[in-house]
Amino acid sequence: MTEEIKKTRQPLAQVVANNLEELIKSQKYNIGDKLPNEFELATELNVGRGTIREAIKLMAARNIVEIRRGTGTFVSETPGISEDPLGLSFIADKKKLSQDLMEMRSIIEPEIARLAAEHATVSEIEQMEALCLAIENLIQNDCNHEELDIELHTLIAKSSRNLVVPSLIPIIQTAISLFIDLTNRHLKDETIKTHAAIVSAIKQGDGTEAKKQMAAHLQYNKTALHIE
Amino acid sequence: MTEEIKKTRQPLAQVVANNLEELIKSQKYNIGDKLPNEFELATELNVGRGTIREAIKLMAARNIVEIRRGTGTFVSETPGISEDPLGLSFIADKKKLSQDLMEMRSIIEPEIARLAAEHATVSEIEQMEALCLAIENLIQNDCNHEELDIELHTLIAKSSRNLVVPSLIPIIQTAISLFIDLTNRHLKDETIKTHAAIVSAIKQGDGTEAKKQMAAHLQYNKTALHIE
């Protein structure tokens, strides 16, 4: 252990955190697994319990593990992806950020919709249809539909089955939140119509149409933001 | 402070870290700024120095701040974006990951090249040309060009001027590393030719051509990976 510290010049807790991280990556511990307790880890890694505690905290800060009080420490469901993995909340220019997020969504999301048309399961499609109806209902009752809107776009993204897509979902989520803030959600009819058209194309397994409808949906949004 | 703790049920150090994070977001401290020392922060936030120290460590784990030994603590250049922000190193299926990364690059990078043709500065274009030559030189001498390859694609991405793109660079970087590993870098001539064609289109400010050439470049890579 001493060699390692000298070489990397990292604090011991960080070295221990790196070692635990490697054990997770090599799948000694899988997603959702409970880690051994502090005492066991301290014995296994030959360091003090305080160091283990500090290492676990460093890993929790990066969402590699999740500390559940009174239960133990578990490998997180999305290890290494923090709440704001892209650091978007640190970008000060919210107007430019909103435009750039929308630009990036226009690049990524139509292709994601195409992949979703190829890979979505029957149960995912049923959920998408239910979300469309729920959003329509909220819009017609003049209620905030942000949360369900994000849920629908997230579900479409996940059903693309591309392993990298879950990491990109914060782009979609942040964009929707900023968009609804900035436009005062006045795109009601277009939202209902274009959401339904996207999901219908996905249901028919028509990737070209799903891509086209998602592009149209985002174009309405861009126009509302006066980007184009 | 006590109210806050009861409400959020977070450890004090995490609460303090959140408060410091908010100060950075609200631009009391900007990128590259040195934070006040432990003693000053402890006084300002009315907590002990040990808590400040622990809070700083939590923030450093997420790359919000950078601790430079003997110099102090600074707001990181890319706050909140860790070394592996997308958690890609935790994905066990490297073959599927490599294919999905290449799929995502094919979606994002041609559009990024188009934006680069519109926004790259003269000095960025000069750097791109120098990198192309250096890569050609390495390839012809049968040396590893991974590092410079990543540097070229990263530079093209940055010159798109989209604020979200720097967060997506790990996709490109991880994809290149995995690709060079898997294909044993035998795409030598194609790499030299297509890199030059991309940079030439960017130099001419021809977005459509830059997009087309980047797509062709990635198609060669996909074929080599036997994806399509």
Side-chain angles (χ1 to χ4, degrees):
Chain A
M1 195 58 86
T2 319
E3 273 299 303
E4 181 78 0
I5 299 163
K6 274 190 194 150
K7 207 179 63 194
T8 62
R9 290 167 167 267
Q10 289 180 322
L12 183 55
Q14 188 59 59
V15 175
V16 170
N18 294 348
N19 289 346
L20 283 170
E21 205 177 309
E22 286 310 317
L23 289 176
I24 292 169
K25 284 178 189 168
S26 66
Q27 294 187 289
K28 177 163 175 186
Y29 305 115
N30 288 300
I31 285 171
D33 276 2
K34 187 176 172 175
L35 294 188
N37 65 33
E38 270 174 23
F39 180 77
E40 291 163 335
L41 286 175
T43 308
E44 190 176 333
L45 297 172
N46 197 23
V47 293
R49 287 176 64 179
T51 305
I52 294 291
R53 206 173 304 131
E54 213 185 321
I56 296 279
K57 278 185 200 162
L58 291 174
M59 292 169 79
R62 290 180 48 215
N63 195 33
I64 294 168
V65 297
E66 196 189 316
I67 302 166
R68 299 189 202 139
R69 298 271 168 103
T71 319
T73 301
F74 296 80
V75 179
S76 145
E77 290 299 321
T78 50
I81 306 180
S82 70
E83 219 174 273
D84 176 28
L86 307 180
L88 297 178
S89 60
F90 288 94
I91 297 176
D93 186 345
K94 294 299 173 204
K95 198 176 147 61
K96 167 93 169 115
L97 173 62
S98 182
Q99 291 171 346
D100 286 2
L101 280 168
M102 200 51 90
E103 185 172 65
M104 196 45 73
R105 279 185 76 189
S106 299
I107 293 171
I108 298 172
E109 261 194 293
E111 294 291 338
I112 283 179
R114 181 179 59 75
L115 293 171
E118 292 168 18
H119 301 292
T121 64
V122 172
S123 129
E124 282 168 338
I125 291 167
E126 279 170 6
Q127 278 180 67
M128 288 177 202
E129 290 179 319
L131 282 167
C132 278
L133 286 179
I135 291 169
E136 180 169 353
N137 198 30
L138 285 175
I139 288 178
Q140 278 165 354
N141 288 293
D142 220 22
C143 298
N144 189 335
H145 64 284
E146 177 178 336
E147 206 178 311
L148 291 190
D149 203 312
I150 288 176
E151 209 175 307
L152 175 62
H153 282 272
T154 303
L155 180 58
I156 292 172
K158 281 187 180 157
S159 61
S160 74
R161 291 291 165 296
N162 183 304
L163 289 176
V164 184
V165 165
S167 308
L168 303 180
I169 285 172
I171 292 178
I172 298 172
Q173 294 176 335
T174 311
I176 292 175
S177 295
L178 277 176
F179 173 79
I180 291 183
D181 275 3
L182 290 170
T183 59
N184 233 337
R185 32 176 202 290
H186 65 242
L187 278 182
K188 300 176 175 184
D189 289 344
E190 286 87 347
T191 301
I192 295 172
K193 254 187 266 171
T194 50
H195 274 169
I198 296 164
V199 172
S200 159
I202 291 175
K203 189 177 185 176
Q204 287 159 43
D206 185 342
T208 311
E209 183 67 13
K211 177 178 165 178
K212 194 181 122 191
Q213 292 296 341
M214 181 64 89
H217 177 59
L218 296 173
Q219 189 54 51
Y220 280 123
N221 293 8
K222 272 167 124 177
T223 310
L225 273 176
H226 308 292
I227 291 177
E228 284 184 5
Chain B
M1 194 59 82
T2 320
E3 273 300 302
E4 182 79 0
I5 300 163
K6 275 190 194 150
K7 209 177 63 196
T8 61
R9 290 166 168 268
Q10 290 180 320
L12 183 54
Q14 188 58 59
V15 175
V16 170
N18 294 348
N19 289 346
L20 283 170
E21 205 177 308
E22 285 310 317
L23 289 176
I24 292 169
K25 284 179 188 168
S26 66
Q27 293 188 289
K28 178 163 176 188
Y29 306 115
N30 288 300
I31 285 172
D33 278 3
K34 186 176 171 175
L35 293 187
N37 65 33
E38 269 174 23
F39 181 77
E40 291 163 335
L41 285 175
T43 309
E44 190 177 332
L45 298 172
N46 198 24
V47 292
R49 287 176 63 178
T51 305
I52 294 290
R53 206 172 305 131
E54 212 185 323
I56 297 278
K57 277 185 202 161
L58 291 174
M59 291 168 79
R62 290 180 48 215
N63 195 34
I64 294 167
V65 297
E66 195 189 315
I67 303 166
R68 298 190 202 139
R69 297 272 168 103
T71 320
T73 301
F74 296 80
V75 178
S76 146
E77 290 300 320
T78 49
I81 307 181
S82 70
E83 218 174 275
D84 177 28
L86 307 180
L88 297 178
S89 59
F90 289 94
I91 297 177
D93 186 345
K94 295 298 173 205
K95 198 175 147 61
K96 167 93 169 117
L97 174 62
S98 181
Q99 292 172 344
D100 286 2
L101 281 168
M102 200 50 89
E103 184 172 66
M104 195 47 72
R105 281 185 75 189
S106 298
I107 293 172
I108 297 172
E109 260 194 293
E111 295 291 339
I112 283 179
R114 182 179 58 75
L115 293 171
E118 292 169 17
H119 301 293
T121 64
V122 172
S123 129
E124 282 168 339
I125 292 167
E126 279 171 6
Q127 279 180 68
M128 288 177 202
E129 290 179 319
L131 282 166
C132 278
L133 285 179
I135 291 168
E136 180 169 352
N137 198 30
L138 287 175
I139 288 177
Q140 277 165 355
N141 288 293
D142 220 22
C143 299
N144 189 336
H145 64 284
E146 176 179 337
E147 206 179 310
L148 292 191
D149 203 312
I150 288 176
E151 208 176 306
L152 174 62
H153 282 272
T154 302
L155 180 58
I156 293 172
K158 281 187 180 156
S159 61
S160 73
R161 292 291 166 295
N162 183 304
L163 290 176
V164 184
V165 165
S167 309
L168 304 180
I169 286 172
I171 292 178
I172 298 172
Q173 294 176 336
T174 311
I176 293 175
S177 295
L178 277 176
F179 172 80
I180 291 183
D181 275 2
L182 290 169
T183 59
N184 234 336
R185 34 178 201 290
H186 65 240
L187 279 183
K188 299 175 175 184
D189 290 343
E190 286 87 347
T191 301
I192 295 173
K193 255 187 264 170
T194 52
H195 275 169
I198 295 164
V199 173
S200 159
I202 291 174
K203 189 176 185 176
Q204 287 159 43
D206 185 343
T208 311
E209 183 66 14
K211 177 178 165 178
K212 194 181 121 190
Q213 291 296 340
M214 182 64 89
H217 177 60
L218 297 173
Q219 189 54 51
Y220 280 122
N221 293 7
K222 273 168 123 174
T223 310
L225 272 176
H226 308 294
I227 291 178
E228 283 185 5

